[in-house]
Amino acid sequence: MKLFIHRKDLRTSDLPALDYLAAGGEPGIHTLFLDPFLLRGERYLEHSGAGFLRSAGRLERAYKEAGRKLNVFYGEPASMLDRLLDAQPVIREVVVHEDYTPYAIKRDRELREAAHARGAIFTVLPDLSLAPMRDFHDWTGRQSPYKVFTPFYRQWRAFLAQRYTSVYASDVSDLDTVAAGELPGCELPPSLRDAMEARDGQASEPERRLRGFLRGALSSYAEARDAYAQDGTSRLSASLNRGEISARRLHAAAGELASIQSESWLRQLAWRDFYLYQSRMDPDYYHYEKKFDLSGLDDRHFAAWRDARTGIPVIDAAMTQLNETGWMPNRLRMITAMFLTKNLRCPFIYGERYFRLKLSDYDNALNRGGWLWASSLGFDAAPYFRIMNPVTQSKKFDPAGDYLRTWLPRASLSAAVSIHEPAPDAIVDLRQSRLEAIAAYKTIIHSNAHEPITKDD
């Protein structure tokens, strides 16, 4: 018998593991381990944790609707696997999908050791990225990984043209799943059970959202994706990052509609794969803050940024939306991140950790990639002297101030000509803080003892 453990793959179809299990033709135990470490500090009350738990609840209901059983347990994964293998000695193989974060690598090493200690095989299948990262890198023939997006993108497109993996055929209803039995001490706390059963009135089934996007907003995506007041994006990132829908499905949908708009949307899937690629191939990806001397930065303005009290309208509007809803358009993620790291000269890790809690579509690798870009650290990042002016950005992408009026009601009292401008009591002067940031980050970049990343990589 095989044991399948769900993680960032909260769906009942288009999973490599389901095809793999179906080929075996034997009953299996399907589980979801809710990990206390990933939900620590009452994270289940924050947008990121609550969103994941609602998705987990939808997965459990999908299994039930298919007449199948999903076993949900709460506890440290390796310990639960130990106990489960003791209770079910008929399990001879454990199947999971791959993940690349430092915690996931450590967790999977412990799971592998627990499986091998009981004589079980531990099988890891790729699913997270559109192009399997190791296969892609081997296919390129490169010794070192790509560090710059554009050459990566060209090869990524060529790889997919030759080796694209279509949507997987098996559905959980094609499999025979069985109950694992009880594991005393691994029951879900009532608070987590309630969070799983909570219904999100604003959430729609990913396939329905995808179809609506293809019929509507995709036709103007390239022009509208940055016009954040219009919300012209698919809003599928949360479902994608939790695995409620696969990158393969989105790629297939884009491929069916050959146009500039679908190409622009496909490019965003490539950026997602680029960050996942870096998180696996770059040993410094999760440690860039240790490569630079950040002692000249401080967190004195972090609380004002976090609480939407900076006096810069677009910053405060974006942070208000994030705090209240768990969502922030991508353009605003770049603006707010660069404002925190550059104008406020706060170490990027403060913002990265805050987004980790608040973003409903949070993903460790993608979130870190965005913050490394904004803070000019890492690979293919914004040059240290490039600092977005939030007022200019606000005027360009929300000229009528509609977004500001939505999230900062007081702004509706201002004349349109001044609605974008800083308040008299703004915490920093944009021009002066820009000059100071350039000087500070020039010193930081030069503090790196490693050779600089060049554009011909």
Side-chain angles (χ1 to χ4, degrees):
M1 181 179 290
K2 292 181 174 64
L3 169 69
F4 171 48
I5 306 174
H6 277 280
R7 284 103 70 91
K8 294 162 76 171
D9 48 12
L10 305 183
R11 59 188 185 275
T12 57
S13 62
D14 183 24
L15 284 169
L18 298 186
D19 274 22
Y20 180 77
L21 296 169
E26 59 181 325
I29 295 175
H30 292 213
T31 65
L32 173 64
F33 293 166
L34 296 183
D35 189 339
F37 178 79
L38 297 179
L39 295 168
R40 66 193 183 281
E42 295 190 331
R43 187 177 172 190
Y44 68 93
L45 298 175
E46 298 286 359
H47 295 302
S48 61
F52 180 85
L53 289 171
R54 285 195 297 269
S55 295
R58 288 193 287 270
L59 177 69
E60 188 177 42
R61 292 191 291 274
Y63 264 81
K64 186 174 181 180
E65 290 166 4
R68 300 296 182 262
K69 174 64 177 177
L70 178 67
N71 303 273
V72 183
F73 299 113
Y74 175 76
E76 192 278 320
S79 175
M80 284 191 292
L81 180 58
D82 254 342
R83 298 177 63 182
L84 192 52
L85 293 175
D86 279 343
Q88 298 284 348
V90 293
I91 296 173
R92 307 311 303 161
E93 184 174 0
V94 179
V95 180
V96 299
H97 289 119
E98 194 171 31
D99 196 0
Y100 315 135
T101 68
Y103 176 72
I105 291 170
K106 174 179 178 292
R107 175 200 62 202
D108 287 359
R109 182 174 62 249
E110 294 171 351
L111 288 174
R112 184 184 299 275
E113 292 170 354
H116 289 175
R118 299 297 191 282
I121 299 168
F122 189 75
T123 299
V124 181
L125 302 173
D127 174 64
L128 195 58
S129 57
L130 186 53
M133 292 293 98
R134 178 59 64 183
D135 290 348
F136 167 74
H137 185 70
D138 292 344
W139 178 85
T140 66
R142 291 174 59 92
Q143 293 297 315
S144 59
Y146 287 102
K147 297 291 187 180
V148 178
F149 175 74
T150 299
F152 168 88
Y153 179 61
R154 287 195 295 264
Q155 290 300 309
W156 181 84
R157 289 299 309 270
F159 176 85
L160 292 180
Q162 288 188 19
R163 300 194 180 187
Y164 173 63
T165 301
S166 61
V167 173
Y168 287 87
S170 296
D171 185 275
V172 74
S173 60
D174 300 323
L175 305 176
D176 183 6
T177 63
V178 299
E182 295 185 0
L183 292 182
C186 296
E187 301 87 356
L188 267 63
S191 57
L192 298 190
R193 172 52 66 185
D194 290 345
M196 285 180 62
E197 294 177 356
R199 306 298 174 111
D200 185 349
Q202 295 180 336
S204 64
E205 192 266 337
E207 282 289 341
R208 188 180 307 121
R209 183 181 288 277
L210 174 61
R211 290 192 295 271
F213 172 70
L214 296 176
R215 289 193 302 266
L218 179 61
S219 63
S220 58
Y221 179 79
E223 298 81 15
R225 61 179 298 268
D226 285 326
Y228 41 80
Q230 300 176 23
D231 194 18
T233 64
S234 70
R235 292 290 289 267
L236 282 163
S237 55
S239 293
L240 179 60
N241 293 342
R242 297 175 201 147
E244 291 185 293
I245 194 169
S246 74
R248 289 180 299 276
R249 178 70 185 95
L250 303 190
H251 179 269
E256 293 168 1
L257 301 167
S259 67
I260 294 175
Q261 311 298 336
S262 59
E263 178 68 22
S264 178
W265 190 45
L266 183 63
R267 192 176 177 87
Q268 300 311 305
L269 294 179
W271 269 107
R272 179 178 185 271
D273 265 20
F274 181 63
Y275 285 144
L276 292 172
Y277 174 82
Q278 295 297 336
S279 74
R280 172 162 183 169
M281 305 302 294
D282 184 347
D284 292 321
Y285 189 81
Y286 291 101
H287 309 288
Y288 268 91
E289 61 271 29
K290 297 178 181 178
K291 294 180 60 177
F292 297 90
D293 179 6
L294 303 182
S295 61
L297 308 179
D298 62 68
D299 66 342
R300 57 183 162 169
H301 292 308
F302 171 72
W305 176 86
R306 177 195 66 198
D307 299 337
R309 294 185 287 103
T310 69
I312 309 297
V314 70
I315 301 296
D316 293 346
M319 295 305 295
T320 299
Q321 183 186 24
L322 174 66
N323 290 333
E324 292 185 7
T325 71
W327 176 256
M328 184 189 289
N330 188 61
R331 169 62 55 174
L332 291 175
R333 298 185 196 198
M334 293 190 289
I335 297 170
T336 56
M338 193 166 284
F339 181 76
L340 179 69
T341 58
K342 300 294 180 59
N343 296 89
L344 302 186
R345 299 199 304 285
C346 180
F348 79 91
I349 55 175
Y350 285 86
E352 180 197 24
R353 290 169 182 168
Y354 191 67
F355 274 22
R356 179 184 305 177
L357 292 177
K358 294 299 181 179
L359 283 174
S360 59
D361 64 351
Y362 169 75
D363 177 272
N364 194 344
L366 309 186
N367 185 50
R368 170 159 278 252
W371 281 94
L372 288 175
W373 182 89
S375 59
S376 301
L377 307 178
F379 46 89
D380 206 14
Y384 72 87
F385 49 81
R386 179 184 176 184
I387 301 175
M388 290 180 174
N389 183 310
V391 173
T392 302
Q393 294 283 311
S394 185
K395 290 177 178 178
K396 179 178 180 180
F397 295 108
D398 180 32
D402 294 335
Y403 180 84
L404 302 181
R405 290 185 176 87
T406 298
W407 295 106
L408 292 179
R410 65 182 183 275
S412 63
L413 302 177
S414 304
V417 69
S418 63
I419 192 173
H420 304 279
E421 299 293 336
D425 60 349
I427 59 175
V428 291
D429 176 86
L430 292 177
R431 183 177 182 278
Q432 183 61 31
S433 63
R434 177 183 181 276
L435 295 175
E436 293 170 355
I438 290 173
Y441 274 85
K442 182 177 181 179
T443 299
I444 289 170
I445 297 302
H446 290 159
S447 74
N448 181 13
H450 297 259
E451 293 183 3
I453 294 168
T454 59
K455 281 294 181 180
D456 59 357
D457 280 340

